[in-house]
Amino acid sequence: GYYDPQVHSEVNNTGRGDWKVTVNIDPGTPVLIDKIDVQVHGAGEKDALFTRITDNLPIHRGDRLNHPAYDSLKGELQRTHGGLLLSFP
């Protein structure tokens, strides 16, 4: 969920062949979920398997973007009934 980190590094020769490397990382502002829109249309619209998933989404408005949570939700929807013509951004 962090896409604009600031990375600063410094390499110093401390003598006698020793080197000191310092790396400072500021992750920046996290990407937050602004809107969640999961829709099931057609034959699966009232299917208990889909509604169980869509009624209990692991992602909420205001959450920091978490790719594993998104991929998990997407995979669960795809596995339900063989993924019936699903599309994802």
Side-chain angles (χ1 to χ4, degrees):
Y2 294 89
Y3 291 93
D4 191 26
Q6 300 297 313
V7 180
H8 303 281
S9 62
E10 185 177 305
V11 178
N12 292 305
N13 183 346
T14 60
R16 298 185 318 238
D18 294 330
W19 293 82
K20 177 182 177 185
V21 177
T22 304
V23 179
N24 292 307
I25 302 171
D26 177 356
T29 305
V31 173
L32 302 178
I33 302 293
D34 183 52
K35 180 180 177 184
I36 302 158
D37 185 13
V38 178
Q39 300 178 21
V40 179
H41 297 282
E45 191 169 348
K46 302 219 185 287
D47 185 287
L49 292 173
F50 281 118
T51 57
R52 177 185 54 81
I53 297 167
T54 59
D55 288 348
N56 298 292
L57 295 174
I59 301 169
H60 304 95
R61 186 171 190 257
D63 286 353
R64 182 177 54 85
L65 180 60
N66 179 318
H67 286 281
Y70 171 78
D71 289 337
S72 175
L73 171 61
K74 187 168 92 169
E76 192 171 358
L77 288 167
Q78 287 173 326
R79 285 186 298 277
T80 302
H81 292 304
L84 304 170
L85 300 176
L86 296 175
S87 65
F88 297 90

